[in-house]
Amino acid sequence: MAKFLNTSGISYHLEELIINTKDKIILISPYLQFSRRIKEHIEGLNLKKIDIRIVYRDNKLAPDENNWLSQQVGVRTSLLQNLHAKCYLNESEAIITSMNLYEFSQVNNNEMGIHITRANDTDLYNSVFEEAQRLLRVSDEIRVTIHKLPNTTRETATKETVNSKPTGYCIRTGVKIPFNIEKPLCADAFKSWSKYGDPNFAEKFCHFSGEPSNKETSVAKPILKKNWRKAHEIFNC
């Protein structure tokens, strides 16, 4: 029968689900930031030529994630803009959960989930599998390519740095943080935001310039529209 999972249980069963995959795995999560262990397991499946499908929402991966995915030639990735579901399944088990496939969530958040096996919950598993297949059908398959990193000399000349990383601003508090459109919130603000996890919740500042955004920024759109071109020129985001 289905089993309830807390945060640590989700992390454990997710890793086991990936390790035990024999034929096909589907990972559905709006946000992606893979831990080192998850990357290693996916790389292992890829070497075995397992069918790996990843569906996520925003094509705004951090350069490290983008470049790692681009090297996993056998991994098929798809975008689904209105995705909010988080579901991970292989040919024999599935996890439905509040947890994104995001390293911070696996370590810091309070999450819940349900673990389902095909052997003990056949009808329920089949329903999950069918919905996962539907999401694959309505998503747009893409090919992740190498993300060119900006020239550090030019970058330093045009943008100050924090701990040798380009400076950005928390979109909720305005404090300086490393520039990363995947992580536009400081740690405290992220903890507050993650209680609801609404990527479209209006925030107060522009991640690129730090100026007040008059509620025109959000986790999904952390940079003011007028600043996107300049941000792209400097950070190639």
Side-chain angles (χ1 to χ4, degrees), residues 66-183:
N66 191 94
N67 293 344
W68 177 78
L69 263 180
S70 71
Q71 296 168 11
Q72 309 309 309
V73 179
V75 177
R76 298 170 63 186
T77 54
S78 300
L79 290 179
L80 186 56
Q81 292 303 320
N82 61 350
L83 180 67
H84 192 70
K86 299 94 175 176
C87 179
Y88 315 109
L89 66 156
N90 61 18
E91 65 282 344
S92 61
E93 57 186 313
I95 298 171
I96 301 173
T97 176
S98 62
M99 180 186 286
N100 281 289
L101 195 56
Y102 204 84
E103 186 173 15
F104 187 97
S105 299
Q106 296 170 25
V107 176
N108 297 280
N109 289 355
N110 292 305
E111 308 279 1
M112 291 191 292
I114 297 293
H115 178 251
I116 303 161
T117 63
R118 186 176 187 178
N120 296 325
D121 309 284
T122 304
D123 291 343
L124 182 55
Y125 172 88
N126 288 339
S127 295
V128 174
F129 182 82
E130 289 174 6
E131 179 63 11
Q133 291 295 315
R134 187 190 70 82
L135 294 179
L136 285 172
R137 288 195 300 271
V138 300
S139 63
D140 298 316
E141 188 167 351
I142 63 169
R143 180 63 205 160
V144 178
T145 57
I146 295 293
H147 189 119
K148 182 179 179 182
L149 296 176
N151 181 279
T152 52
T153 301
R154 179 171 64 86
E155 182 181 280
T156 303
T158 55
K159 194 75 172 171
E160 57 183 321
T161 61
V162 173
N163 296 328
S164 301
K165 295 182 179 180
T167 299
Y169 299 86
C170 173
I171 59 176
R172 180 163 296 187
T173 66
V175 300
K176 291 180 180 180
I177 58 175
F179 181 89
N180 184 342
I181 60 174
E182 294 297 314
K183 300 179 181 179

Side-chain angles (χ1 to χ4, degrees), residues 9-55:
I10 297 166
S11 297
Y12 170 78
H13 280 281
L14 174 58
E15 188 169 348
E16 289 295 300
L17 184 150
I18 296 173
I19 293 172
N20 294 327
T21 298
K22 305 299 182 185
D23 179 43
K24 181 174 184 175
I25 186 169
I26 304 173
L27 304 173
I28 299 171
S29 173
Y31 298 102
L32 302 179
Q33 186 190 51
F34 303 96
S35 68
R36 179 183 58 81
R37 291 175 64 88
I38 295 296
K39 284 181 178 179
E40 290 174 352
H41 296 322
I42 292 176
E43 288 170 357
L45 295 182
N46 200 19
L47 289 173
K48 296 177 182 178
K49 301 189 182 302
I50 300 296
D51 184 2
I52 305 170
R53 298 295 305 269
I54 299 176
V55 182

